[in-house]
Amino acid sequence: MTAGLLPAGVILVESFGDTGAAAGIRLFPAEEALVADVVAERRREFTTVRGCAREAMRQLGRPPAPLVRKGRDGPVWPAGLVGSLTHCVGYRAAAVAPAGAFRAVGIDAEPNAPLPRGVAGRVLGAGERAAVAELGRAEHRPVAWDRLVFCVKEAVYKAWHPLTGLPLGFPDAEVSLSADGTFTARVPGGGPVPGGPPFPELLRGAWAAGRGLLRVGLAVPAPVPDSGTGPGAAAVQAEVRAG
């Protein structure tokens, strides 16, 4: 299920439950402190998703490292890495990439079921609701298109917030889904990034449906330096943009 969800250079590790190697890890003390008082189910998903992250780090040649949060923000990644975590019923995943090739990564997963009554109106704009209705009429696949828009917006936020430090409401991102498994997300005007280029106004990503799940992924490539890149860096950037 991983093929094509993220560009080459981003490592995606998934677990369909809390069994296997990812579930056998031991949390770092800083991670233990985050789940000291949570219920067993929450502890299991927390542990498994960090096992996924450690496996992704290993594949990138990096040692395991704790992933802790600051307040309500997402996890703080080790220097030189960017990444994203997600979990829902029956699924946990981590996507990790080198910061030299990518500025941010966003993944999200949701059950493939329509949004609860009343939620869709807060998540989807009028244009998105019309597009979702048209996809529902044209496509004869069991895809909860409204939930898929929600999933994309969650992934956009996971890429947006670590770079900008700013909030991003559901109306602030405009999502366009394609039946071929791709999407675009537009953040009008982009956003300021301290010490770096602005957050891009237009993002492209991929989605997949299967096993009762909706999964989305996107990545923000690092800007290509004007000089001094060398053939190796140029090849990485070409692969990133092709992916």
Side-chain angles (χ1 to χ4, degrees):
M1 290 181 66
T2 62
L5 199 64
L6 289 160
V10 182
I11 304 299
L12 176 65
V13 177
E14 302 171 293
S15 178
F16 294 90
D18 297 313
T19 59
I25 70 165
R26 297 184 63 181
L27 296 174
F28 288 97
E31 294 171 329
E32 284 277 6
L34 296 177
V35 290
D37 300 318
V38 303
V39 299
E41 181 180 357
R42 169 61 180 140
R43 180 184 177 87
R44 286 194 299 269
E45 69 182 19
F46 180 96
T47 302
T48 302
V49 80
R50 277 155 179 77
C52 293
R54 293 187 196 181
E55 173 58 22
M57 292 179 199
R58 186 195 68 78
Q59 292 186 36
L60 287 170
R62 296 289 298 265
L67 294 179
V68 297
R69 299 186 304 270
K70 289 184 178 179
R72 295 187 177 183
D73 293 345
V76 178
W77 293 89
L81 295 177
V82 295
S84 182
L85 306 177
T86 190
H87 53 79
C88 67
V89 175
Y91 181 79
R92 293 82 169 86
V96 186
F102 296 91
R103 300 176 71 196
V105 178
I107 61 172
D108 198 62
E110 292 284 332
N112 187 3
L115 289 172
R117 182 176 298 179
V119 174
R122 298 197 299 270
V123 173
L124 282 70
E128 292 166 333
R129 291 195 297 273
V132 160
E134 179 59 30
L135 280 167
R137 289 190 294 268
E139 294 293 318
H140 301 289
R141 290 179 289 170
V143 175
W145 300 103
D146 60 345
R147 177 86 67 162
L148 184 55
V149 172
F150 171 84
C151 203
V152 170
K153 292 189 178 189
E154 288 287 292
V156 170
Y157 178 81
K158 291 177 183 180
W160 163 275
H161 187 70
L163 281 176
T164 68
L166 299 173
L168 188 74
F170 289 121
D172 298 327
E174 303 166 357
V175 173
S176 177
L177 302 174
S178 294
D180 64 0
T182 63
F183 66 82
T184 60
R186 183 172 176 266
V187 182
V193 175
F199 191 88
E201 183 171 350
L202 186 67
L203 300 168
R204 301 183 187 277
W207 63 270
R211 299 179 69 161
L213 298 167
L214 299 171
R215 298 156 51 253
V216 304
L218 62 90
V220 181
V224 180
D226 293 333
S227 61
T229 59
V236 168
Q237 289 294 337
E239 186 178 21
V240 166
R241 297 185 187 282

